[in-house]
Amino acid sequence: DCEKDNVILLNADGTAQYVDGGITCQPPADSTAAWHLSADADSLYLGDNGTVIKSFDGKSLVVTTSQYNGFNGDITITLAKH
C-alpha cells in the first residue's frame, strides 16, 4: 500500500526521480534513475525496468511488465499526471 502514493517524475533531461509520498515505505523508496522511450515509442524504460505502453491519454499512462520491484507475473501499472 505504501507504493500507491509514490511519485515518479520523468524529467525532460532523461532523469527520473522516485519520491516516497504520503505513507512511507520501509525502506523509503526515494531514488533517481534514467528513463527513455524505445525507438518506436511502444516501451518505457525506467532504470533497468522495461515496460510496454498500453495506453496514454495525456493524463494517464498505463504500462505492463512481467517483473517490477521483485514481483513477478502480469503486472499493470497506471501512472497519473499531477
Side-chain angles (χ1 to χ4, degrees):
D1 286 334
C2 70
E3 293 179 344
K4 291 181 180 179
D5 60 3
N6 291 356
V7 175
I8 301 173
L9 300 170
L10 302 176
N11 300 310
D13 66 359
T15 60
Q17 293 173 275
Y18 298 85
V19 180
D20 200 340
I23 300 170
T24 303
C25 298
Q26 294 302 322
D30 294 336
S31 64
T32 59
W35 76 273
H36 69 277
L37 294 172
S38 62
D40 56 4
D42 69 349
S43 297
L44 170 70
Y45 293 88
L46 290 168
D48 294 330
N49 294 313
T51 61
V52 176
I53 298 173
K54 290 298 185 183
S55 66
F56 178 62
D57 65 5
K59 294 181 182 179
S60 294
L61 173 64
V62 179
V63 297
T64 60
T65 186
S66 59
Q67 289 184 316
Y68 184 77
N69 284 348
F71 295 100
N72 296 315
D74 294 326
I75 301 166
T76 300
I77 301 166
T78 301
L79 303 170
K81 183 177 180 179
H82 289 268

